[in-house]
Every structure is written in C-alpha cells, then in structure tokens.
Coordinates of all heavy atoms in Angstrom, one line a residue:
M1 N -10.6 -3.0 -5.9 CA -9.4 -2.9 -5.1 C -9.4 -1.5 -4.4 O -9.5 -1.5 -3.1 CB -8.2 -3.1 -5.9 CG -8.0 -4.4 -6.5 SD -6.4 -4.6 -7.3 CE -7.0 -4.3 -9.0
K2 N -9.3 -0.5 -5.1 CA -9.3 0.9 -4.5 C -10.7 1.3 -4.1 O -10.8 2.0 -3.1 CB -8.8 1.9 -5.6 CG -7.3 1.7 -5.9 CD -6.9 2.7 -6.9 CE -5.4 2.4 -7.4 NZ -5.0 3.3 -8.4
R3 N -11.7 0.7 -4.7 CA -13.1 1.1 -4.4 C -13.4 0.6 -2.9 O -14.0 1.3 -2.2 CB -14.0 0.4 -5.4 CG -15.5 0.8 -5.1 CD -16.4 0.2 -6.1 NE -16.3 -1.3 -6.0 CZ -16.9 -2.1 -6.8 NH1 -17.6 -1.6 -7.8 NH2 -16.8 -3.4 -6.6
N4 N -12.9 -0.6 -2.6 CA -13.1 -1.1 -1.2 C -12.4 -0.3 -0.2 O -12.9 0.0 0.9 CB -12.7 -2.6 -1.1 CG -13.6 -3.5 -1.9 OD1 -14.6 -3.1 -2.5 ND2 -13.2 -4.8 -1.9
A5 N -11.2 0.2 -0.5 CA -10.5 1.0 0.4 C -11.2 2.3 0.6 O -11.3 2.8 1.8 CB -9.1 1.3 -0.1
R6 N -11.8 2.9 -0.5 CA -12.5 4.1 -0.3 C -13.8 3.9 0.5 O -14.2 4.8 1.3 CB -12.9 4.7 -1.7 CG -11.8 5.5 -2.3 CD -12.2 6.1 -3.6 NE -12.1 5.0 -4.6 CZ -12.8 4.9 -5.8 NH1 -13.5 5.9 -6.1 NH2 -12.7 3.9 -6.6
L7 N -14.5 2.8 0.3 CA -15.7 2.5 1.1 C -15.4 2.4 2.6 O -16.1 2.9 3.4 CB -16.3 1.2 0.6 CG -17.4 1.3 -0.5 CD1 -17.8 -0.1 -0.9 CD2 -18.6 2.0 0.0
I8 N -14.3 1.7 2.9 CA -13.9 1.5 4.3 C -13.6 2.9 4.9 O -14.0 3.2 6.0 CB -12.6 0.6 4.4 CG1 -13.0 -0.8 4.0 CG2 -12.0 0.7 5.8 CD1 -11.8 -1.7 3.8
E9 N -12.9 3.8 4.2 CA -12.6 5.1 4.7 C -13.8 5.9 4.9 O -14.0 6.7 5.8 CB -11.6 5.8 3.7 CG -11.1 7.1 4.2 CD -10.1 7.6 3.2 OE1 -9.3 6.9 2.6 OE2 -10.1 8.9 3.0
R10 N -14.8 5.8 3.9 CA -16.0 6.7 4.0 C -16.9 6.3 5.1 O -17.5 7.2 5.7 CB -16.7 6.6 2.6 CG -18.0 7.5 2.6 CD -18.6 7.6 1.3 NE -18.6 6.4 0.5 CZ -19.3 6.2 -0.6 NH1 -20.1 7.2 -1.0 NH2 -19.3 5.1 -1.3
Y11 N -17.0 5.0 5.4 CA -18.0 4.6 6.4 C -17.3 4.3 7.8 O -18.0 3.8 8.7 CB -18.7 3.3 6.0 CG -19.7 3.5 4.9 CD1 -19.4 3.3 3.6 CD2 -21.0 4.0 5.2 CE1 -20.4 3.5 2.6 CE2 -21.9 4.2 4.3 CZ -21.6 4.0 2.9 OH -22.6 4.2 2.0
A12 N -16.0 4.6 8.0 CA -15.3 4.3 9.2 C -16.0 5.0 10.4 O -16.2 4.4 11.4 CB -13.9 4.6 9.1
A13 N -16.2 6.3 10.3 CA -16.8 7.0 11.4 C -18.2 6.5 11.7 O -18.5 6.3 12.9 CB -16.8 8.5 11.1
K14 N -19.0 6.3 10.7 CA -20.4 5.9 10.9 C -20.4 4.5 11.6 O -21.2 4.2 12.5 CB -21.1 5.9 9.6 CG -22.6 5.6 9.7 CD -23.3 5.8 8.4 CE -24.8 5.8 8.6 NZ -25.5 6.0 7.3
R15 N -19.5 3.6 11.1 CA -19.4 2.3 11.6 C -19.0 2.3 13.0 O -19.5 1.5 13.9 CB -18.4 1.5 10.7 CG -18.2 0.1 11.1 CD -17.3 -0.7 10.1 NE -18.0 -0.9 8.9 CZ -18.9 -2.0 8.8 NH1 -19.1 -2.8 9.8 NH2 -19.5 -2.2 7.7
A16 N -18.0 3.1 13.4 CA -17.6 3.2 14.8 C -18.7 3.7 15.7 O -18.8 3.2 16.8 CB -16.4 4.1 14.9
K17 N -19.4 4.7 15.2 CA -20.5 5.2 16.0 C -21.6 4.1 16.3 O -22.1 4.0 17.4 CB -21.1 6.4 15.3 CG -22.1 7.2 16.2 CD -22.8 8.3 15.4 CE -21.8 9.3 15.0 NZ -22.4 10.5 14.3
L18 N -22.0 3.4 15.2 CA -23.0 2.3 15.4 C -22.5 1.2 16.2 O -23.3 0.6 17.0 CB -23.3 1.8 14.0 CG -24.1 2.7 13.1 CD1 -24.2 2.1 11.7 CD2 -25.5 3.0 13.6
K19 N -21.2 0.9 16.2 CA -20.7 -0.2 17.0 C -20.7 0.2 18.5 O -21.0 -0.6 19.3 CB -19.2 -0.5 16.6 CG -19.1 -1.7 15.8 CD -17.6 -2.1 15.6 CE -17.5 -3.4 14.9 NZ -16.1 -3.7 14.7
A20 N -20.3 1.5 18.8 CA -20.3 2.0 20.1 C -21.7 2.0 20.7 O -21.9 1.7 21.9 CB -19.7 3.4 20.2
A21 N -22.7 2.3 19.9 CA -24.1 2.3 20.3 C -24.7 0.9 20.4 O -25.8 0.7 21.0 CB -24.9 3.1 19.4
G22 N -24.1 -0.1 19.8 CA -24.6 -1.5 19.8 C -25.7 -1.7 18.8 O -26.5 -2.6 19.0
D23 N -25.8 -0.8 17.8 CA -26.9 -0.9 16.8 C -26.4 -1.8 15.7 O -25.9 -1.4 14.6 CB -27.2 0.5 16.3 CG -28.3 0.5 15.3 OD1 -29.0 -0.5 15.2 OD2 -28.5 1.5 14.6
Y24 N -26.6 -3.1 15.8 CA -26.2 -4.1 14.9 C -27.1 -4.1 13.6 O -26.6 -4.5 12.6 CB -26.0 -5.5 15.5 CG -25.0 -5.5 16.6 CD1 -25.3 -5.5 17.9 CD2 -23.6 -5.3 16.2 CE1 -24.4 -5.5 18.9 CE2 -22.7 -5.3 17.2 CZ -23.0 -5.4 18.5 OH -22.1 -5.3 19.5
D25 N -28.3 -3.7 13.8 CA -29.2 -3.6 12.6 C -28.7 -2.5 11.7 O -28.8 -2.6 10.5 CB -30.7 -3.4 13.0 CG -31.3 -4.6 13.7 OD1 -30.8 -5.7 13.4 OD2 -32.1 -4.4 14.6
G26 N -28.3 -1.4 12.3 CA -27.7 -0.3 11.5 C -26.4 -0.7 10.8 O -26.2 -0.3 9.7
L27 N -25.6 -1.5 11.5 CA -24.4 -2.0 10.9 C -24.7 -2.9 9.7 O -24.0 -2.9 8.7 CB -23.6 -2.8 11.9 CG -22.6 -2.0 12.8 CD1 -22.1 -2.8 13.9 CD2 -21.5 -1.3 12.0
A28 N -25.7 -3.7 9.8 CA -26.1 -4.6 8.8 C -26.6 -3.9 7.5 O -26.5 -4.4 6.4 CB -27.1 -5.6 9.2
A29 N -27.1 -2.7 7.7 CA -27.6 -1.9 6.6 C -26.5 -1.2 5.8 O -26.7 -0.8 4.7 CB -28.6 -0.8 7.1
L30 N -25.3 -1.2 6.4 CA -24.2 -0.6 5.6 C -23.7 -1.5 4.5 O -24.0 -2.7 4.6 CB -23.0 -0.3 6.6 CG -23.3 0.8 7.7 CD1 -22.1 0.9 8.6 CD2 -23.6 2.1 7.0
P31 N -23.0 -1.0 3.5 CA -22.5 -1.9 2.5 C -21.5 -2.9 3.1 O -20.7 -2.6 4.0 CB -21.7 -1.0 1.6 CG -22.3 0.3 1.8 CD -22.7 0.4 3.2
R32 N -21.6 -4.2 2.6 CA -20.7 -5.2 3.2 C -19.2 -4.9 3.0 O -18.4 -5.2 3.9 CB -21.0 -6.5 2.5 CG -22.3 -7.2 3.0 CD -22.4 -8.5 2.4 NE -23.6 -9.2 2.9 CZ -23.7 -10.5 3.0 NH1 -22.8 -11.3 2.6 NH2 -24.8 -11.0 3.6
N33 N -18.9 -4.3 1.9 CA -17.5 -4.1 1.6 C -16.9 -2.9 2.4 O -15.7 -2.6 2.3 CB -17.2 -3.8 0.1 CG -17.3 -5.1 -0.7 OD1 -17.0 -6.2 -0.1 ND2 -17.6 -5.1 -1.9
S34 N -17.8 -2.2 3.2 CA -17.3 -1.1 4.0 C -16.7 -1.7 5.3 O -16.1 -0.9 6.1 CB -18.4 -0.1 4.3 OG -19.3 -0.7 5.2
S35 N -16.7 -3.0 5.5 CA -16.1 -3.6 6.7 C -14.6 -3.8 6.5 O -14.2 -4.4 5.4 CB -16.8 -4.9 7.0 OG -16.1 -5.6 8.0
P36 N -13.7 -3.4 7.4 CA -12.3 -3.5 7.2 C -11.8 -5.0 7.1 O -10.8 -5.3 6.5 CB -11.7 -2.8 8.4 CG -12.7 -2.1 9.0 CD -14.0 -2.6 8.6
T37 N -12.6 -5.9 7.7 CA -12.2 -7.3 7.6 C -12.3 -7.9 6.3 O -11.8 -9.0 6.0 CB -13.0 -8.2 8.6 OG1 -14.4 -8.0 8.4 CG2 -12.7 -7.7 10.1
R38 N -13.1 -7.3 5.4 CA -13.3 -7.8 4.0 C -12.3 -7.3 3.1 O -12.2 -7.7 1.9 CB -14.7 -7.4 3.5 CG -15.8 -8.2 4.2 CD -17.1 -7.8 3.8 NE -17.4 -8.1 2.4 CZ -18.1 -9.1 1.9 NH1 -18.6 -10.0 2.8 NH2 -18.3 -9.3 0.6
Y39 N -11.4 -6.4 3.5 CA -10.4 -5.9 2.6 C -9.3 -6.9 2.4 O -8.8 -7.5 3.3 CB -9.8 -4.6 3.2 CG -8.8 -3.9 2.4 CD1 -9.1 -3.2 1.2 CD2 -7.4 -4.0 2.7 CE1 -8.2 -2.7 0.4 CE2 -6.5 -3.4 1.8 CZ -6.9 -2.7 0.7 OH -5.9 -2.2 -0.1
R40 N -8.9 -7.0 1.1 CA -7.8 -7.9 0.7 C -6.7 -7.1 0.2 O -6.9 -6.1 -0.5 CB -8.3 -8.9 -0.4 CG -9.4 -9.8 0.0 CD -8.9 -10.9 0.9 NE -7.9 -11.7 0.4 CZ -8.0 -12.9 0.0 NH1 -9.1 -13.6 0.0 NH2 -6.9 -13.6 -0.5
R41 N -5.5 -7.6 0.4 CA -4.3 -7.0 -0.2 C -4.1 -7.6 -1.6 O -4.1 -8.8 -1.7 CB -3.1 -7.2 0.7 CG -3.1 -6.4 1.9 CD -1.9 -6.6 2.8 NE -1.9 -5.8 4.0 CZ -2.7 -6.2 5.0 NH1 -3.4 -7.3 5.0 NH2 -2.7 -5.4 6.1
Y42 N -3.8 -6.7 -2.5 CA -3.6 -7.2 -3.9 C -2.2 -6.8 -4.4 O -1.6 -5.9 -3.9 CB -4.6 -6.5 -4.9 CG -6.0 -6.8 -4.6 CD1 -6.8 -6.1 -3.8 CD2 -6.6 -7.9 -5.3 CE1 -8.2 -6.4 -3.6 CE2 -7.9 -8.2 -5.1 CZ -8.7 -7.5 -4.2 OH -10.0 -7.8 -4.0
C43 N -1.7 -7.6 -5.3 CA -0.4 -7.3 -5.9 C -0.6 -6.0 -6.7 O -1.5 -5.9 -7.5 CB 0.0 -8.5 -6.8 SG 1.5 -8.1 -7.7
K44 N 0.3 -5.1 -6.6 CA 0.3 -3.8 -7.3 C 0.5 -4.0 -8.8 O 0.2 -3.2 -9.6 CB 1.3 -2.8 -6.7 CG 1.0 -2.4 -5.3 CD -0.2 -1.6 -5.1 CE -0.4 -1.2 -3.7 NZ -1.5 -0.4 -3.5
L45 N 1.2 -5.1 -9.1 CA 1.6 -5.3 -10.5 C 0.6 -6.2 -11.3 O 0.2 -5.9 -12.4 CB 3.0 -5.9 -10.6 CG 4.1 -5.1 -10.0 CD1 5.4 -5.9 -10.0 CD2 4.3 -3.8 -10.7
T46 N 0.1 -7.2 -10.7 CA -0.7 -8.2 -11.4 C -2.2 -8.2 -10.9 O -3.0 -8.7 -11.6 CB -0.2 -9.6 -11.3 OG1 -0.1 -10.0 -9.9 CG2 1.2 -9.7 -11.8
G47 N -2.4 -7.8 -9.6 CA -3.8 -7.8 -9.1 C -4.1 -9.2 -8.4 O -5.2 -9.4 -8.0
R48 N -3.0 -10.0 -8.2 CA -3.2 -11.3 -7.6 C -3.5 -11.1 -6.1 O -2.8 -10.3 -5.4 CB -2.0 -12.1 -7.8 CG -2.0 -13.5 -7.2 CD -0.7 -14.3 -7.4 NE -0.7 -15.5 -6.7 CZ -1.1 -16.6 -7.1 NH1 -1.7 -16.7 -8.3 NH2 -1.1 -17.7 -6.3
M49 N -4.4 -11.8 -5.5 CA -4.8 -11.7 -4.1 C -4.0 -12.5 -3.2 O -3.7 -12.1 -2.1 CB -6.3 -12.0 -3.9 CG -7.3 -11.1 -4.5 SD -8.9 -11.5 -4.0 CE -9.2 -13.0 -4.9
R50 N -3.7 -13.7 -3.6 CA -3.0 -14.6 -2.7 C -1.5 -14.5 -2.7 O -0.9 -14.2 -3.8 CB -3.4 -16.1 -3.0 CG -4.9 -16.3 -2.8 CD -5.2 -17.7 -3.1 NE -6.6 -17.9 -2.8 CZ -7.2 -19.1 -2.6 NH1 -6.4 -20.2 -2.7 NH2 -8.4 -19.2 -2.4
G51 N -0.8 -14.8 -1.6 CA 0.6 -14.8 -1.6 C 1.2 -13.4 -1.8 O 2.2 -13.3 -2.6
T52 N 0.7 -12.4 -1.2 CA 1.2 -11.0 -1.4 C 2.1 -10.6 -0.2 O 1.6 -10.8 0.9 CB 0.0 -10.0 -1.5 OG1 -0.8 -10.5 -2.6 CG2 0.5 -8.7 -1.8
Y53 N 3.2 -10.2 -0.5 CA 4.1 -9.7 0.6 C 3.8 -8.3 0.9 O 3.8 -7.4 0.0 CB 5.6 -9.8 0.1 CG 6.1 -11.2 0.1 CD1 5.8 -12.1 -0.9 CD2 6.9 -11.7 1.2 CE1 6.3 -13.4 -0.9 CE2 7.4 -13.0 1.2 CZ 7.1 -13.8 0.1 OH 7.5 -15.1 0.1
R54 N 3.6 -8.0 2.2 CA 3.2 -6.7 2.6 C 4.3 -5.6 2.4 O 4.0 -4.5 2.0 CB 2.8 -6.7 4.1 CG 1.5 -7.3 4.5 CD 1.2 -7.1 5.9 NE 0.1 -7.9 6.3 CZ -0.4 -7.9 7.5 NH1 0.1 -7.1 8.4 NH2 -1.5 -8.6 7.8
K55 N 5.5 -6.0 2.7 CA 6.6 -5.1 2.6 C 6.8 -4.5 1.1 O 7.0 -3.3 1.0 CB 7.9 -5.7 3.0 CG 9.1 -4.8 3.0 CD 10.3 -5.5 3.6 CE 11.5 -4.6 3.6 NZ 12.7 -5.2 4.2
F56 N 6.6 -5.4 0.2 CA 6.8 -5.0 -1.2 C 5.5 -4.7 -2.0 O 5.5 -4.1 -3.0 CB 7.6 -6.1 -2.0 CG 8.9 -6.4 -1.4 CD1 9.1 -7.6 -0.6 CD2 10.0 -5.5 -1.5 CE1 10.3 -7.9 -0.1 CE2 11.2 -5.8 -1.0 CZ 11.4 -7.0 -0.3
Q57 N 4.4 -5.2 -1.4 CA 3.1 -5.0 -2.0 C 3.0 -5.7 -3.4 O 2.3 -5.2 -4.3 CB 2.6 -3.6 -2.1 CG 2.5 -2.9 -0.7 CD 2.1 -1.5 -0.8 OE1 2.1 -0.9 -1.9 NE2 1.8 -0.9 0.3
I58 N 3.7 -6.8 -3.5 CA 3.6 -7.6 -4.8 C 3.5 -9.0 -4.4 O 3.8 -9.5 -3.3 CB 4.9 -7.3 -5.7 CG1 6.2 -7.7 -5.0 CG2 4.9 -5.9 -6.2 CD1 7.4 -7.6 -5.8
S59 N 3.0 -9.8 -5.4 CA 2.8 -11.3 -5.1 C 4.2 -12.0 -5.1 O 5.2 -11.5 -5.6 CB 2.0 -11.9 -6.2 OG 2.6 -11.9 -7.5
R60 N 4.1 -13.2 -4.6 CA 5.3 -14.0 -4.4 C 6.0 -14.3 -5.8 O 7.2 -14.4 -5.9 CB 5.0 -15.3 -3.7 CG 4.0 -16.1 -4.4 CD 3.6 -17.4 -3.6 NE 2.5 -18.1 -4.2 CZ 2.7 -18.9 -5.3 NH1 3.9 -19.1 -5.8 NH2 1.6 -19.5 -5.8
I61 N 5.1 -14.5 -6.8 CA 5.6 -14.8 -8.1 C 6.4 -13.6 -8.7 O 7.5 -13.8 -9.3 CB 4.4 -15.2 -9.0 CG1 3.8 -16.4 -8.4 CG2 4.9 -15.4 -10.4 CD1 2.4 -16.7 -9.0
M62 N 5.8 -12.4 -8.6 CA 6.5 -11.2 -9.1 C 7.7 -10.9 -8.3 O 8.7 -10.4 -8.8 CB 5.5 -10.0 -9.1 CG 4.4 -10.2 -10.1 SD 4.9 -10.5 -11.8 CE 5.9 -9.1 -12.2
L63 N 7.7 -11.2 -7.0 CA 8.9 -11.0 -6.1 C 10.0 -11.8 -6.6 O 11.2 -11.4 -6.7 CB 8.5 -11.3 -4.7 CG 9.6 -11.1 -3.7 CD1 9.9 -9.6 -3.5 CD2 9.4 -11.8 -2.4
R64 N 9.7 -13.1 -6.9 CA 10.8 -14.0 -7.4 C 11.3 -13.5 -8.7 O 12.5 -13.5 -8.9 CB 10.2 -15.4 -7.5 CG 11.2 -16.4 -7.9 CD 10.6 -17.8 -7.9 NE 11.6 -18.8 -8.0 CZ 12.1 -19.3 -9.2 NH1 11.5 -18.8 -10.3 NH2 13.0 -20.2 -9.3
D65 N 10.4 -13.2 -9.7 CA 10.9 -12.7 -11.0 C 11.7 -11.5 -10.9 O 12.8 -11.4 -11.5 CB 9.7 -12.5 -11.9 CG 9.0 -13.7 -12.3 OD1 9.6 -14.8 -12.2 OD2 7.9 -13.6 -12.8
M66 N 11.3 -10.5 -10.1 CA 12.1 -9.3 -9.9 C 13.4 -9.5 -9.2 O 14.4 -8.9 -9.6 CB 11.2 -8.2 -9.2 CG 10.0 -7.8 -10.0 SD 9.0 -6.6 -9.1 CE 10.0 -5.2 -9.0
A67 N 13.4 -10.4 -8.2 CA 14.7 -10.7 -7.5 C 15.7 -11.4 -8.5 O 16.9 -11.1 -8.5 CB 14.4 -11.6 -6.3
L68 N 15.2 -12.3 -9.3 CA 16.1 -13.0 -10.3 C 16.6 -12.0 -11.3 O 17.7 -12.2 -11.8 CB 15.4 -14.1 -10.9 CG 15.1 -15.3 -10.0 CD1 14.2 -16.4 -10.8 CD2 16.3 -15.9 -9.5
D69 N 15.8 -11.0 -11.7 CA 16.3 -10.0 -12.6 C 17.1 -8.9 -12.0 O 17.7 -8.1 -12.7 CB 15.1 -9.3 -13.3 CG 14.3 -10.2 -14.2 OD1 14.9 -11.3 -14.6 OD2 13.1 -10.0 -14.5
G70 N 17.3 -9.0 -10.7 CA 18.1 -8.0 -10.0 C 17.5 -6.6 -9.7 O 18.1 -5.6 -9.6
L71 N 16.1 -6.6 -9.7 CA 15.4 -5.3 -9.6 C 15.1 -5.0 -8.1 O 14.7 -3.9 -7.8 CB 14.1 -5.4 -10.3 CG 14.2 -5.6 -11.8 CD1 12.8 -5.8 -12.5 CD2 14.9 -4.4 -12.5
I72 N 15.4 -5.9 -7.2 CA 15.2 -5.7 -5.8 C 16.6 -5.7 -5.1 O 17.2 -6.7 -5.0 CB 14.3 -6.7 -5.1 CG1 12.9 -6.7 -5.8 CG2 14.1 -6.4 -3.6 CD1 11.9 -7.7 -5.3
P73 N 17.0 -4.5 -4.7 CA 18.4 -4.4 -4.1 C 18.5 -5.3 -2.9 O 17.7 -5.4 -2.0 CB 18.5 -3.0 -3.7 CG 17.4 -2.3 -4.4 CD 16.3 -3.2 -4.6
G74 N 19.7 -6.0 -2.8 CA 20.0 -6.8 -1.6 C 19.4 -8.2 -1.6 O 19.6 -9.0 -0.8
M75 N 18.5 -8.5 -2.6 CA 17.9 -9.8 -2.6 C 18.5 -10.7 -3.7 O 18.6 -10.3 -4.8 CB 16.4 -9.7 -2.9 CG 15.6 -11.0 -2.8 SD 13.9 -10.8 -2.9 CE 13.5 -10.2 -1.3
T76 N 19.0 -11.9 -3.2 CA 19.6 -12.8 -4.2 C 19.0 -14.2 -4.0 O 18.4 -14.4 -2.9 CB 21.2 -12.9 -3.9 OG1 21.4 -13.3 -2.5 CG2 21.9 -11.6 -4.2
K77 N 19.2 -15.0 -5.0 CA 18.7 -16.4 -4.9 C 19.5 -17.2 -3.9 O 20.8 -17.1 -4.0 CB 18.7 -17.0 -6.2 CG 18.0 -18.4 -6.3 CD 18.0 -19.0 -7.6 CE 17.3 -20.3 -7.6 NZ 17.7 -21.1 -8.7
A78 N 18.9 -17.9 -3.0 CA 19.6 -18.7 -2.0 C 20.2 -19.9 -2.7 O 19.6 -20.6 -3.6 CB 18.7 -19.1 -0.9
S79 N 21.4 -20.3 -2.4 CA 22.0 -21.5 -2.8 C 23.0 -22.0 -1.8 O 23.7 -21.3 -1.2 CB 22.8 -21.3 -4.1 OG 23.8 -20.3 -4.0
W80 N 22.9 -23.3 -1.5 CA 23.8 -23.9 -0.5 C 24.2 -25.3 -0.9 O 23.7 -25.9 -1.8 CB 23.2 -23.9 0.9 CG 21.8 -24.5 1.0 CD1 21.6 -25.8 1.3 CD2 20.6 -23.9 0.8 NE1 20.3 -26.1 1.4 CE2 19.6 -24.9 1.1 CE3 20.1 -22.7 0.5 CZ2 18.2 -24.7 0.9 CZ3 18.8 -22.5 0.4 CH2 17.8 -23.5 0.6

C-alpha cells in the first residue's frame, strides 16, 4: 500500500522526462507499480480495496459500522 505510493513518488520525475521524450522502451523498463494508474485506494482500517470512500478513506462496511455506532458526526441511518 504505502510502498506503491513511495514508488510513484520516487519515479515521478523520471517518468515525466521519459514521457516527454517519447521513450516508451525506457518507460517499460521502470517498475510497473511506479505508474500512478496502478495505485489503489485502501481502507485505512481494514485494508480493503473495493468500496472505499475517498472523503473518509475507509471502506463502505466500516463507514456503516462507524455511523451506526455514532463515531461519524452528522451521519445517521436513513429511515422513511
């Protein structure tokens, strides 16, 4: 998780330079996980990849549990 973010940050300048020059063989030689499009958002609590809310940085399941426990201010269960 954090390793991919560090790889993206470390190779960002080199990747931009190779892209501007059109050197696609050089880009292919870089680590695959250094590409920003391969970065996934993970839940900060569970590590779940899917269904993660950007604003809270947690998964939908943890968001629901925390909302029901009253740990997220202003969020209540809908009922009509």
Side-chain angles (χ1 to χ4, degrees):
M1 294 182 261
K2 293 178 184 176
R3 184 178 63 183
N4 290 357
R6 278 184 281 158
L7 268 175
I8 292 168
E9 188 177 323
R10 181 168 37 165
Y11 286 100
K14 189 172 188 178
R15 180 172 285 281
K17 190 185 296 183
L18 289 171
K19 256 188 176 178
D23 183 12
Y24 297 108
D25 292 329
L27 275 172
L30 295 177
R32 284 186 175 205
N33 286 334
S34 68
S35 173
T37 57
R38 289 177 65 99
Y39 182 72
R40 296 286 304 252
R41 287 180 182 79
Y42 295 91
C43 174
K44 298 289 183 180
L45 302 175
T46 62
R48 182 181 169 88
M49 288 188 289
R50 296 181 176 199
T52 304
Y53 284 81
R54 287 186 188 184
K55 183 175 182 179
F56 301 105
Q57 298 180 351
I58 56 176
S59 68
R60 60 183 174 81
I61 299 163
M62 293 307 299
L63 181 75
R64 183 174 189 273
D65 288 345
M66 291 175 72
L68 289 175
D69 292 340
L71 298 174
I72 300 176
M75 187 174 281
T76 57
K77 185 177 180 204
S79 60
W80 57 90

